[in-house]
Amino acid sequence: MIDTLAVVGATGAVGRSVLDQILQRKLPHGRLRLLASARSAGQVVTFGDQQITVELMEPSAFDGVDVVIASTPDEVSAEFAPWAVERGAIVVDESGYWRMDPKVPLIIPEVNASAIDNHQGIIASPNCSTTQMVVALAPLHNAARIKRVVVSTYQATSGAGLAGEAELMHSTRGSLDGSAPAAKTFQYPIAFNLIPQIGSEKHEGYTSEEMKMVYETRKIFGDDSIDVCPTCVRVPVAIGHSESILVETEKPLSVEQARELFANADGVTLIDDLAGRQYPMPVDSAGKDDVFVGRVRKDLSSPNGIAFWCVSDNLRKGAATNAVQIAELLAKKMASVA
């Protein structure tokens, strides 16, 4: 049981999903407080049958708080997380700021829940594109050890927040009626388009989003020898990231073995019937918590390769659900020592 739970960033796209997940998953907690910057403080947010006023996020706001679930920009997390930890709270953080800090565990509960024991007040939740990929990779890694991953992502506009969702709608309407509004959130108009850049230029032609997938995958698996070659693309889909993944393993896996591993994996749903036109699509994943896998097939170019297609709701398992699942682990630990 979490006596006092705080949600930071509750008025954003992921924050709203966090509140939905707290309700749906019945996260055991007592008092719920919503904290935000001065721009959002004072807003009233509906939570079940409650109307909760958003409070100003300042150091004293974390007094008496046990667990914080936060979805904020990196620079905001860098400032507030130490305030919360100094006052005895545990922060479950969804920003990118703390993920690669060696003192901060990077957690996907289905994959490395035991790493939570190493926290020093802050626990990081991975990037949305990394999370769904690693959930799908975990059963293959546990069975045959992954050596190399080649992944191309097709990422929904909601990954850029409420502004990204709104821009998809505006851009699409404008393209259809001839008004063609200028791009604001994205580098170019997103309607009927693909943009092969998510994040800033970072390393030898790779973007920050792509390098997150490299570093975070290695950290979660605890294996720096895993090679990851990512390409991240923004697509005109509102909700649901898709990924085309090619994985090479140390031990060979047959397609039948891979399908069985996916079918039995925690948090994975296998939908794989090409003849019957059954495979995961973003429209079907929206509002669901699982990672959906399909199009499982042997790599024609490598004896130890398996290729597959992977889809997940980026606001749910890619963000809010994963954070709330981490909070559930904390609630169980708190109950066991009460």
Side-chain angles (χ1 to χ4, degrees):
M1 173 76 169
I2 300 170
D3 290 333
T4 301
L5 173 67
V7 175
V8 176
T11 58
V14 174
R16 292 177 182 180
S17 190
V18 166
L19 293 179
D20 289 342
Q21 287 296 285
I22 291 171
L23 278 174
Q24 291 181 27
R25 298 180 68 89
K26 299 180 180 178
L27 176 66
H29 69 280
R31 184 184 180 194
L32 175 65
R33 298 176 60 193
L34 307 183
L35 307 176
S37 64
R39 185 179 62 181
S40 298
Q43 291 186 30
V44 177
V45 173
T46 300
F47 178 74
D49 58 2
Q50 302 178 55
Q51 298 291 310
I52 303 177
T53 300
V54 178
E55 303 173 52
L56 178 65
M57 182 179 64
E58 55 188 346
S60 61
F62 295 97
D63 290 340
V65 173
D66 298 293
V67 173
V68 179
I69 300 176
S71 177
T72 69
D74 290 6
E75 63 274 13
V76 176
S77 179
E79 182 178 25
F80 90 78
W83 299 344
V85 173
E86 287 169 6
R87 287 159 176 79
I90 302 172
V91 178
V92 179
D93 185 65
E94 297 195 78
S95 81
Y97 187 81
W98 302 99
R99 289 175 186 153
M100 297 312 300
D101 188 315
K103 300 185 297 297
V104 175
L106 185 62
I107 303 289
I108 299 175
E110 296 92 339
V111 180
N112 64 335
S114 62
I116 200 170
D117 295 331
N118 302 322
H119 82 78
Q120 299 179 32
I122 301 174
I123 301 166
S125 185
N127 184 45
C128 49
S129 52
T130 304
T131 298
Q132 73 179 73
M133 180 178 76
V134 170
V135 168
L137 291 178
L140 306 184
H141 186 60
N142 293 337
R145 191 185 169 275
I146 289 171
K147 294 174 59 179
R148 179 171 181 256
V149 181
V150 179
V151 55
S152 295
T153 73
Y154 306 79
Q155 295 181 221
T157 57
S158 56
L162 293 173
E165 290 187 72
E167 187 153 315
L168 173 61
M169 298 301 109
H170 295 325
S171 181
T172 302
R173 290 192 186 101
S175 295
L176 292 172
D177 66 21
S179 62
K184 295 180 181 179
T185 302
F186 304 114
Q187 304 94 323
Y188 298 96
I190 189 62
F192 309 105
N193 193 23
L194 304 178
I195 304 173
Q197 178 183 355
I198 302 177
S200 59
E201 184 178 354
K202 209 66 177 176
H203 174 74
E204 295 186 357
Y206 288 86
T207 67
S208 55
E209 182 82 0
E210 290 160 351
M211 294 312 298
K212 288 175 188 177
M213 298 190 75
V214 176
Y215 298 136
E216 292 176 16
T217 298
R218 292 172 176 170
K219 182 173 180 177
I220 295 163
F221 282 136
D223 188 345
D224 287 341
S225 71
I226 297 174
D227 291 323
V228 182
C229 180
T231 301
C232 294
V233 182
R234 187 74 70 188
V235 300
V237 169
I239 295 175
H241 288 355
S242 301
E243 297 177 350
S244 174
I245 299 173
L246 171 62
V247 57
E248 293 184 21
T249 54
E250 192 172 85
K251 301 176 184 177
L253 289 172
S254 68
V255 171
E256 292 72 22
Q257 287 173 317
R259 285 191 179 121
E260 184 176 1
L261 290 167
F262 287 135
N264 293 324
D266 188 19
V268 176
T269 293
L270 180 67
I271 305 173
D272 191 25
D273 180 6
L274 183 60
R277 300 181 183 179
Q278 298 297 307
Y279 25 71
M281 294 181 289
V283 69
D284 298 321
S285 75
K288 299 175 182 175
D289 289 328
D290 269 11
V291 172
F292 297 86
V293 170
R295 296 297 318 280
V296 184
R297 57 206 187 277
K298 196 69 178 174
D299 175 14
L300 298 178
S301 65
S302 168
N304 285 18
I306 293 289
F308 63 95
W309 177 250
C310 170
V311 180
S312 190
D313 183 328
N314 53 294
L315 298 179
R316 294 284 288 264
K317 183 55 188 172
T321 300
N322 199 71
V324 173
Q325 286 177 305
I326 295 171
E328 289 172 345
L329 295 176
L330 292 172
K332 289 178 181 177
K333 287 185 172 293
M334 291 175 178
S336 67
V337 299

